[in-house]
């Protein structure tokens, strides 16, 4: 904590930086975005979270989609998650959150029955990560987030997002990189309330 020097009618005073407000009531957060995915069609991402002081809980879902090679339906990857976070910074303009939770990855190919396991799959695993947000001005923030996903059978993925938020609008670049296939990446635009 750095001291702040104040000049006033009574002379010079010394005061510590203000402590984070932990008496604030819980706040509901909502984020919805669309992403253009490189060499694919796109993705939708949505988050619903509750933040209370230094703790947060977020339910999220990401849905990637592209046409089948024979154009007879879609290939999709749906990734729901439930993530808890704890804020570990001093409460200043830069917030740092440590994250942990559970995530699933479900693939589906239209026109393929449930009896063809080579074309559909579902895995559940854990995740860990960090989120950083720095307030540049009253309405503008820079953000970065990284998560590491751990699934059975040594399947791993890294999720990375960086961007800027102005008011309710957030523009970012998001990457989902599995160790068993090409990375899914591209620009993302969304609204955060």
């Amino acid at each position: 904590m750095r001291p702040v020097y104040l000049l006033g009618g009574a002379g010079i005073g010394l005061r510590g930086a203000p402590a984070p407000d932990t008496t604030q009531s819980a706040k509901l957060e909502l984020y919805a975005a669309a992403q253009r995915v490189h060499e694919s069609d796109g993705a939708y991402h949505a988050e619903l979270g509750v933040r209370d002081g230094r703790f947060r809980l977020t339910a999220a879902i990401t849905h990637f989609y592209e046409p089948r090679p024979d154009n007879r339906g879609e290939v999709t990857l749906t990734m729901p998650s439930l993530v808890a976070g704890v804020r570990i910074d001093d409460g200043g303009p830069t917030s740092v959150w440590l994250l942990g939770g559970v995530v699933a990855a479900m693939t589906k190919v239209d026109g393929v029955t449930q009896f063809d396991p080579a074309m559909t799959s579902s895995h559940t695993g854990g995740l860990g990560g960090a989120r950083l947000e720095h307030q540049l001005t009253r309405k503008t923030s820079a953000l970065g987030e990284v998560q590491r996903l751990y699934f059975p059978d040594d399947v791993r993925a890294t999720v990375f997002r960086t961007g800027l938020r102005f008011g309710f609008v957030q523009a970012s670049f998001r990457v989902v990189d599995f160790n068993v296939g090409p990375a899914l990446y591209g620009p993302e635009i969304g609204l955060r309330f």
Side-chain angles (χ1 to χ4, degrees), residues 32-52:
Q35 180 182 16
R36 176 70 178 125
V37 179
H38 178 71
E39 294 185 352
S40 183
D41 277 8
Y44 298 108
H45 180 78
E47 299 175 8
L48 177 63
V50 177
R51 185 180 62 189
D52 191 5

Side-chain angles (χ1 to χ4, degrees), residues 56-58 82-86 97-102 126-130 147:
R56 75 187 307 152
L57 184 65
T58 304
L82 183 62
V83 181
V86 60
W97 296 85
L98 291 182
L99 309 172
V102 294
L127 69 83
Q147 295 178 356

Side-chain angles (χ1 to χ4, degrees), residues 2-21:
R2 292 187 307 221
V4 177
Y5 296 92
L6 302 173
L7 297 175
I12 297 177
L14 181 65
R15 172 178 88 182
D21 181 11

Side-chain angles (χ1 to χ4, degrees), residues 31-112:
Y31 176 64
Q35 180 182 16
R36 176 70 178 125
V37 179
H38 178 71
E39 294 185 352
S40 183
D41 277 8
Y44 298 108
H45 180 78
E47 299 175 8
L48 177 63
V50 177
R51 185 180 62 189
D52 191 5
R54 291 195 170 270
F55 301 97
R56 75 187 307 152
L57 184 65
T58 304
I61 189 163
T62 302
H63 180 77
F64 294 95
Y65 59 92
E66 66 180 40
R68 279 176 41 171
D70 60 7
N71 289 321
R72 291 185 175 180
E74 281 188 333
V75 178
T76 61
L77 169 63
T78 305
M79 299 175 62
S81 63
L82 183 62
V83 181
V86 60
R87 188 171 174 178
I88 61 168
D89 60 89
D90 65 0
T94 302
S95 61
V96 180
W97 296 85
L98 291 182
L99 309 172
V102 294
V103 62
M106 300 169 286
T107 59
K108 180 182 174 208
V109 179
D110 285 348
V112 177

